[in-house]
Amino acid sequence: MVIVLLGPPGAGKGTQAPILAGRLGLPILASGDLLRAVARSGSDLGRDVEAIMQSGALVPDATTVRIFLDRLARPDAVGGAILDGFPRTAAQAAALDEALAERGSKVDAAILVDVPADELVARMTDRLVCRADPTHVYNLGTKPPLRPGLCDVDGAELYRRADDEPDTVRARLAKQLAPLAEVVGHYRAHGVLRTVDGRQPIAAVTEQVMGAL
Ligand code: AMP
């Protein structure tokens, strides 16, 4: 089963992905985590990617598609995956359809975690991520860690992503909401779009997603 998680930055995709992965027994493929790893690599490409991410813009399709489809081709994703953050443009959605069709697969469901734009800035600037494992995500407002600044799961330090600073957050929303609407349109046209209300408590969002699958 291939599931695409859609939503504006800060909607809670990264919170839902590990819960759904556990329930469904699927790996999570998160384009933001893949790109942050490239940015940390110190290569020329990494420096370019880092600068783009800090500006709040999307990384060009050619780079993102290559990195993401390489990851999707690894053995652990052959039986399906939860896609978090990819596709983010109509061109990426088309490239994904093509790659899946080549292996006799398709996107089974695209889940839009919907949150109004005015709530998103607060959500992102309150977000903290674990240094040891980026799938451990906290929020000072809705899901604070038990011990300030430390991950509940592994005790590692929590930090605020560089692109979660308020100015970058606003830039990300300004630059990323229009392409998201295109991707939503793509999956609506394919009849696989399901929308859940991302303003509900975390567990209620999960149940709505599971019900939609
Ligand atoms: P995320 O962790 O999903 O919020 O992504 C962080 C940043 O990585 C985004 O603001 C973009 O700059 C970049 N990024 C992540 N996924 C994509 C994608 N599918 N296409 C282009 N850029 C992406």
Side-chain angles (χ1 to χ4, degrees):
M1 177 146 62
V2 177
I3 299 169
V4 170
L5 284 181
L6 297 174
K13 301 186 295 293
T15 298
Q16 291 298 325
I19 304 173
L20 296 170
R23 297 269 287 258
L24 299 166
L26 294 171
I28 306 167
L29 274 51
S31 53
D33 292 342
L34 294 171
L35 291 168
R36 274 184 287 278
V38 171
R40 278 195 304 270
S41 70
S43 65
D44 287 347
L45 175 66
R47 273 186 287 277
D48 290 348
V49 165
E50 186 170 27
I52 294 168
M53 289 174 79
Q54 300 261 356
S55 78
L58 291 176
V59 175
D61 286 336
T63 303
T64 310
V65 166
R66 182 173 52 72
I67 291 168
F68 197 85
L69 293 185
D70 274 0
R71 175 64 188 88
L72 185 66
R74 299 229 309 252
D76 64 328
V78 167
I82 294 174
L83 278 47
D84 169 8
F86 184 96
R88 270 225 200 14
T89 66
Q92 292 178 14
L96 175 65
D97 285 346
E98 198 177 317
L100 289 173
E102 275 171 20
R103 62 189 224 191
S105 172
K106 62 176 172 35
V107 171
D108 296 290
I111 308 283
L112 172 62
V113 183
D114 209 13
V115 174
D118 52 6
E119 245 190 61
L120 295 169
V121 175
R123 282 180 168 224
M124 279 189 281
T125 53
D126 276 356
R127 170 159 61 187
L128 293 174
V129 184
C130 170
R131 282 224 188 267
D133 182 337
T135 69
H136 304 158
V137 182
Y138 299 84
N139 185 288
L140 292 172
T142 56
K143 189 194 168 198
L146 297 173
R147 291 168 298 166
L150 298 177
C151 179
D152 294 351
V153 183
D154 52 32
E157 182 197 6
L158 301 178
Y159 75 105
R160 186 199 248 178
R161 283 168 37 178
D163 62 349
D164 280 343
E165 300 295 333
D167 284 349
T168 309
V169 162
R170 276 185 274 274
R172 285 164 72 195
L173 291 175
K175 292 174 187 174
Q176 298 189 18
L177 290 183
L180 170 65
E182 282 183 31
V183 176
V184 168
H186 177 96
Y187 290 117
R188 185 178 288 124
H190 284 70
V192 293
L193 184 74
R194 308 281 179 270
T195 302
V196 303
D197 182 355
R199 286 170 303 184
Q200 307 172 90
I202 292 167
V205 174
T206 306
E207 290 321 313
Q208 222 191 327
V209 174
M210 294 300 294
L213 290 176

